[in-house]
Amino acid sequence: EIKCPTFVIGSIEDQVFGINSTLTLAKKINCKHHIYEGYGHGAYDEAPDYLGRICDFLINSRHNDQSKKIGIVIAIERELKSFLMSSYEIETINDGHFTCFKTIINNHDVYAIKSGWGLIDAAMATQYLITKYNVEIILNFGVMQSKYAFSSSA
């Protein structure tokens, strides 16, 4: 059972996972979801309001009025560009290990980091955000793979 607020985003034209996987996942975990029309599998890169929807969800799903530190793990350069092209003022922080990008969204400190491909790279970047910036919420931004398949008949 997933106890934290969860938001699933999909697209009707997604040729990789298909719309049924998105709808089944959202139904199984009983979470908020948004379905795009007119975008494919890369809605994160194509839809101009993608980051805004995620930030709105984060801000509206908080359990108290305190600001949070949010970490965003981004695997590839194309996904990072989508984040950097947002309308928020972004500070670049480079300490020799990782380059992080910091912004503030509705009083929340948001740190984005490009992890590279794979679970180990994502785990290292996630731990870095937790250790270095004390982030309380972690998001995986963009496309991610799963060893679990969701069936619309389940």
Side-chain angles (χ1 to χ4, degrees):
E1 177 181 350
I2 297 175
K3 296 181 181 181
C4 65
T6 305
F7 186 35
V8 173
I9 299 177
S11 175
I12 291 173
E13 291 82 10
D14 186 339
Q15 298 297 311
V16 178
F17 291 118
I19 189 62
N20 287 337
S21 294
T22 301
L23 294 173
T24 301
L25 175 61
K27 182 178 178 181
K28 280 188 176 206
I29 63 176
N30 191 26
C31 71
K32 179 177 173 140
H33 64 280
H34 177 76
I35 306 300
Y36 279 106
E37 291 185 39
Y39 299 104
H41 185 66
Y44 64 88
D45 194 33
E46 300 167 351
D49 66 340
Y50 186 87
L51 182 59
R53 286 187 182 279
I54 292 171
C55 290
D56 287 345
F57 169 75
L58 288 174
I59 292 158
N60 294 325
S61 65
R62 67 184 183 192
H63 296 290
N64 57 48
D65 292 332
Q66 296 178 352
S67 63
K68 299 285 184 186
K69 291 185 178 182
I70 300 168
I72 303 178
V73 178
I74 302 171
I76 61 175
E77 190 71 29
R78 186 174 81 185
E79 296 166 348
L80 178 62
K81 285 181 184 176
S82 294
F83 175 80
L84 295 175
M85 292 175 61
S86 69
S87 59
Y88 302 103
E89 185 176 318
I90 297 175
E91 171 189 358
T92 302
I93 304 167
N94 189 341
D95 69 358
H97 298 286
F98 283 100
T99 299
C100 287
F101 304 92
K102 179 186 179 195
T103 190
I104 297 174
I105 302 172
N106 288 6
N107 295 320
H108 298 279
D109 291 337
V110 178
Y111 297 89
I113 189 169
K114 183 180 151 210
S115 64
W117 289 89
L119 295 174
I120 293 172
D121 289 339
M124 287 189 320
T126 300
Q127 186 60 55
Y128 181 81
L129 288 173
I130 293 168
T131 303
K132 180 80 175 179
Y133 300 107
N134 297 310
V135 298
E136 303 163 86
I137 299 170
I138 297 286
L139 299 172
N140 188 323
F141 183 81
V143 178
M144 52 188 253
Q145 295 179 345
S146 172
K147 64 180 183 175
Y148 302 103
F150 293 94
S151 163
S152 60
S153 62

